[in-house]
Amino acid sequence: MSTPPDPVAAARERAIAERAKRLREDGVDQYSLLDGEHERFDRDPWNPHPAPRDPVSEAVDVVILGAGISGMSCAVELSRLGVESYRIIDRAGDVGGTWYWNRYPGCRCDIESYIYMPYLEETGYIPTERYASAPEIFEHCQQVAEQFDLYPHALFATHVTGATWLDDQSRWEVATDRGDVIRARFVVAAGGLLFKAKLPAIEGIDDFEGAMFHTARWDYAVTGGGPGEPMTSLAGMRVGVVGTGATAVQVVPELAESGAEVYVFQRTPAAVGVRDNRPTDPEWAASLKPGWQEHRTRNFTESVTGVQPDEDLVQDGWTDLMWVNTARPGRNESEQAELDRIDFEAMEAIRQRVDDIVEDPELAERLKPWWSKHCKRITFNDEYLPTFNRHNVHLVDTDGAGVDLITANGPVVGEVEYALAVLVFASGFEVTTDYTRRLGFDPIGRDGVAMSERWSDGAHTLHGVLTAEFPNFTMVSIAQAAPGVNFAHFVGQVSRHIADMIAACLESGIVEIEPTVEAEDEWLHRLWAEAAAASSRRYAQACTPSYFNNEGQMTQLAARGVTWTGNTLPYADHLADWRAAGFPGTVLRRETEDTP
């Protein structure tokens, strides 16, 4: 009598096979720069004709590059500490960052809004829904900017073209495309995480004769309507969506309501859990005690990183799926088998949900994700899977290969050309590409060294915040830091750390702070050692390519982009201890009589 196959082992073998289909030699280079012919994908549709203004020439304590949640948080925290001499610069036409740019239909946060939206207690605002819509989050960002008086400090529709360290003045000189020249003691590169759209470098993309845009620059002039409004102009049109990640699962159901035919081009199926969005309970909101948001946020962070607090306050799909950290190695064979089983059952429930919802069994099979729960970002949506039961929605499964090429008529997969009127790229954002590429300019540090040169082999930082040879240059970036699941929590903590550090330097007469190379190396080796101890190489070997693993490429650049093992909370505690200890591992230059 034969032994029945082990479903856990079979799922792992399937995941490894699916991963192999997605591996590409070009790795992160499979995406195009948004310049030249592709610059049109990066234009601001919300502020196409910025109002003219005179160039600004000034000296300030701090220049903050970015007016999203991280840049706003840094400005708010600086103000709280009495630092009012700062300038915010953003190429967008308003605050909001991700929530300024992303206004595609169906867009909303995938983290509970009560712990995602910043400064709820300070503004006295309670989101209207458990998962707030993009317009509501954008409006809240504007409310924060109004309440904390950020607007007078901001230069919008302004692109930074360069930042150069002036060694004889201990200042940065920041230049912009508006002719501004701003000299600052400190620079905060607060570009956040999801701000630079990425475009697949598909052959023939520029030959397409229909309308074409990225979800982060949604073109309502083509689709009609607006956020939350019907896209009436799509009636009778054939629409294509390239991508099946967190953005696509929100936008595809909306397009299906308006387009005559919708084609979804899939490389890797999304894992789609239950969202269960609902209006905020007013009685619950009225019961909240002071400090509730910080307490709830910390509880969520622990719940999704395997800490398993005594109580799960959020109780959503995230905390349910991520309660046990199954990516860590088991201490023995029995524990490893238990971790494998838990991981398998979590993903099997998601695959079973596909069977329960999608009526066509063959189509359901193609929509099932065969990867483990820590490999990619899980999505949560209650409309995406039912959309594939509609007669006008068609899945084009590329079997991991992606679209082969694009002709004047539309995408080609295999031998089939899909003629379309509109092509939408739901292809996400750059996360692991070169930092200066995402930054949009190449900072010039001490002795004329360019960051692209110093970082040619990957990130060199202390805590992911400071970098040697670039005094007083601080960053909010995931490399060598602790991003976690709730990005807003992470950027809030890092922004607070940067503000505290800058305020302390200004108060104590420190005109330069710069980490030593030795401190950078010590930090990197600590991260590597902790990652090796806490992460399972066996687990990672079955993960499909994504920005989580540098598109499956194990390069030196990727290795140096390692993140803090564990969650944001102990990382924030480490930063606080470091500040309290007087900034060890840095070279400090104090103010003297001849300081400019």
Side-chain angles (χ1 to χ4, degrees):
M1 186 174 181
S2 61
T3 303
D6 177 7
V8 178
R12 175 176 170 78
E13 291 176 7
R14 175 72 181 272
I16 291 173
E18 294 297 326
R19 177 182 188 272
K21 296 177 183 178
R22 277 288 314 277
L23 288 175
R24 300 169 53 125
E25 291 184 2
D26 50 1
V28 296
D29 293 331
Q30 65 188 275
Y31 300 104
S32 299
L33 285 169
L34 298 185
D35 57 10
E37 283 291 320
H38 300 144
E39 186 180 4
R40 67 186 188 277
F41 287 97
D42 202 28
R43 291 174 186 157
D44 187 348
W46 320 119
N47 187 30
H49 305 293
R53 64 169 177 81
D54 294 332
V56 173
S57 178
E58 64 182 0
V60 295
D61 286 333
V62 188
V63 164
I64 301 170
L65 309 180
I69 291 178
S70 54
M72 293 170 63
S73 297
C74 190
V76 169
E77 298 304 323
L78 283 170
S79 295
R80 284 177 159 177
L81 295 167
V83 180
E84 297 290 350
S85 176
Y86 63 87
R87 177 64 73 182
I88 303 171
I89 305 175
D90 200 306
R91 58 178 299 222
D94 204 335
V95 297
T98 292
W99 303 103
Y100 172 87
W101 296 111
N102 286 273
R103 308 191 199 185
Y104 60 82
C107 183
R108 61 180 65 241
C109 57
D110 66 353
I111 300 294
E112 188 188 67
S113 56
Y114 316 127
I115 61 172
Y116 179 84
M117 294 168 68
Y119 300 111
L120 292 180
E121 287 194 74
E122 291 82 351
T123 58
Y125 184 74
I126 297 294
T128 62
E129 298 177 277
R130 191 180 192 192
Y131 300 97
S133 68
E136 182 174 359
I137 301 173
F138 178 39
E139 289 174 8
H140 176 66
C141 289
Q142 293 174 312
Q143 180 182 356
V144 170
E146 289 281 1
Q147 179 164 325
F148 290 97
D149 203 28
L150 305 186
Y151 280 116
H153 296 267
L155 297 176
F156 294 121
T158 301
H159 178 67
V160 173
T161 56
T164 303
W165 174 253
L166 306 177
D167 198 49
D168 60 335
Q169 299 181 36
S170 294
R171 286 185 179 273
W172 283 94
E173 184 172 271
V174 178
T176 79
D177 63 348
R178 296 285 203 113
D180 307 309
V181 178
I182 302 172
R183 293 187 176 183
R185 288 287 187 202
F186 295 87
V187 168
V188 182
L193 307 175
L194 305 175
F195 70 97
K196 190 172 185 62
K198 63 183 182 185
L199 183 72
I202 303 172
E203 180 184 351
I205 191 172
D206 297 316
D207 296 333
F208 182 60
E209 294 180 352
M212 183 169 53
F213 53 85
H214 192 280
T215 52
R217 305 290 186 272
W218 195 269
D219 194 343
Y220 283 105
V222 171
T223 65
E229 301 172 1
M231 293 176 284
T232 53
S233 297
L234 292 182
M237 288 191 180
R238 292 163 60 93
V239 183
V241 180
V242 176
T244 52
T247 297
V249 300
Q250 297 190 112
V251 78
V252 166
E254 302 291 330
L255 288 172
E257 292 286 343
S258 304
E261 304 290 335
V262 177
Y263 295 84
V264 182
F265 296 88
Q266 170 183 278
R267 285 198 300 182
T268 304
V272 188
V274 175
R275 171 174 275 169
D276 188 28
N277 194 22
R278 54 182 180 268
T280 298
D281 179 358
E283 291 187 10
W284 170 81
S287 72
L288 297 172
K289 307 298 183 186
W292 69 267
Q293 188 178 29
E294 176 69 16
H295 178 56
R296 193 176 183 87
T297 301
R298 293 175 66 90
N299 179 268
F300 176 84
T301 296
E302 291 180 336
S303 297
V304 297
T305 51
V307 176
Q308 299 181 6
D310 293 337
E311 180 184 10
D312 175 5
L313 294 176
V314 175
Q315 297 183 32
D316 67 352
W318 281 113
T319 62
D320 179 51
L321 278 168
M322 299 299 178
W323 188 257
V324 178
N325 176 12
T326 56
R328 68 175 178 82
R331 288 167 291 189
N332 51 53
E333 187 175 330
S334 175
E335 185 181 54
Q336 184 62 62
E338 178 65 5
L339 292 173
D340 290 347
R341 181 192 64 78
I342 293 171
D343 197 291
F344 166 78
E345 290 180 353
M347 293 302 292
E348 187 67 6
I350 284 177
R351 289 188 286 267
Q352 182 59 50
R353 185 170 185 246
V354 180
D355 282 331
D356 293 343
I357 294 174
V358 179
E359 296 166 358
D360 181 341
E362 182 180 342
L363 177 58
E365 283 302 313
R366 289 185 283 146
L367 286 166
K368 292 179 181 179
W370 290 96
W371 38 272
S372 298
K373 67 188 180 78
H374 296 280
C375 288
K376 289 168 64 73
R377 191 172 179 90
I378 304 289
T379 70
F380 299 93
N381 192 281
D382 298 329
E383 293 78 41
Y384 179 72
L385 292 174
T387 297
F388 288 95
N389 293 327
R390 299 176 61 113
H391 72 278
N392 67 324
V393 177
H394 315 280
L395 179 71
V396 183
D397 184 12
T398 68
D399 200 26
V403 173
D404 296 320
L405 68 128
I406 297 175
T407 68
N409 295 322
V412 175
V413 176
E415 301 297 322
V416 181
E417 179 186 73
Y418 296 86
L420 303 173
V422 181
L423 184 56
V424 179
F425 289 95
S427 43
F429 301 86
E430 295 192 15
V431 176
T432 57
T433 51
D434 290 345
Y435 183 66
T436 54
R437 166 170 161 164
R438 286 178 281 128
L439 197 58
F441 65 95
D442 197 357
I444 305 299
R446 192 184 300 282
D447 298 324
V449 64
M451 184 170 284
S452 61
E453 177 185 349
R454 173 117 209 284
W455 285 31
S456 60
D457 61 343
H460 291 256
T461 82
L462 178 59
H463 306 144
V465 175
L466 295 166
T467 183
E469 299 187 51
F470 294 80
N472 298 6
F473 190 93
T474 64
M475 299 164 287
V476 182
S477 177
I478 67 170
Q480 300 184 9
V485 171
N486 183 359
F487 287 169
H489 184 207
F490 162 69
V491 300
Q493 292 295 316
V494 176
S495 296
R496 185 176 302 170
H497 163 68
I498 290 173
D500 284 349
M501 179 176 59
I502 290 175
C505 287
L506 292 172
E507 183 179 356
S508 59
I510 296 172
V511 296
E512 293 180 19
I513 180 170
E514 177 185 353
T516 65
V517 172
E518 292 77 16
E520 289 181 327
D521 290 344
E522 182 181 344
W523 176 247
L524 177 62
H525 284 89
R526 172 179 174 172
L527 295 178
W528 277 346
E530 292 182 354
S535 302
S536 170
R537 181 179 295 273
R538 173 181 173 275
Y539 191 96
Q541 286 173 342
C543 284
T544 190
S546 72
Y547 72 82
F548 274 32
N549 59 14
N550 198 52
E551 300 298 336
Q553 285 192 324
M554 293 299 103
T555 63
Q556 177 69 10
L557 187 148
R560 297 193 70 93
V562 62
T563 57
W564 170 279
T565 299
N567 68 57
T568 302
L569 298 174
Y571 169 74
D573 290 341
H574 175 81
L575 297 180
D577 291 342
W578 177 81
R579 295 194 305 272
F583 314 143
T586 65
V587 176
L588 304 175
R589 181 183 168 216
R590 296 189 178 273
E591 193 169 14
T592 61
E593 290 184 2
D594 60 347
T595 300

